[in-house]
Amino acid sequence: MRYTKLNASLDATSRLRSLQQRTGLTPNLLCRIAAMMSLEEGPVESIRAPDDRGKEFNSYTLTGEITGILGAMVRFVEEDEGRGEPLSNEEIVLRFAAHIHRGVGLLSVRAKSPADIARLAAAA
């Protein structure tokens, strides 16, 4: 997965702000956790984030040295086990953004404090 900038949706940006206040974690870490939670739920396939007018992240801040690993995980979850064409880089990035959007929604319901984040990590 290669990208230079990724924009979160307005809804995800608002939820990230709230999550940051409740947990003390930065938005980039919250997005990483959210993406992992969403990947556990399965493919987003054709679901897209409703917009890309929210917070802008550069690639190093958002995924840093694990960009390749996250891209591979998105590809693994999203591709149809070798049936059909492999997803393009652009499609992988769009689906990664959709996973962030879905995951932030999941995380905003489950994390009310730093202790909740610790419990989520321990359960994984």
Side-chain angles (χ1 to χ4, degrees):
M1 176 170 70
R2 293 174 310 283
Y3 67 101
T4 55
K5 297 196 183 296
L6 186 131
N7 286 53
S9 67
L10 286 173
D11 180 53
T13 299
S14 174
R15 290 174 189 241
L16 284 168
R17 210 173 292 118
S18 176
L19 281 164
Q20 183 177 15
Q21 291 172 344
R22 289 185 293 193
T23 65
L25 295 175
T26 60
N28 61 312
L29 293 176
L30 291 166
C31 283
R32 290 178 187 192
I33 294 167
M36 298 306 290
M37 289 177 68
S38 179
L39 286 166
E40 279 186 324
E41 296 289 316
V44 291
E45 295 171 349
S46 61
I47 300 168
R48 298 281 187 244
D51 60 69
D52 62 352
R53 299 183 318 244
K55 183 169 179 59
E56 181 179 86
F57 294 93
N58 71 47
S59 64
Y60 189 77
T61 302
L62 183 58
T63 54
E65 63 280 352
I66 62 170
T67 301
I69 294 169
L70 287 171
M73 292 174 75
V74 171
R75 185 175 297 281
F76 177 78
V77 169
E78 293 294 328
E79 284 187 349
D80 193 16
E81 297 181 15
R83 294 184 291 263
E85 293 294 314
L87 297 174
S88 68
N89 183 67
E90 293 76 22
E91 185 64 24
I92 293 291
V93 172
L94 286 172
R95 292 191 190 194
F96 179 60
H99 277 290
I100 289 173
H101 178 78
R102 179 170 75 176
V104 167
L106 295 169
L107 190 58
S108 69
V109 171
R110 297 180 188 170
K112 304 296 181 199
S113 70
D116 292 334
I117 297 289
R119 276 192 282 282
L120 286 169

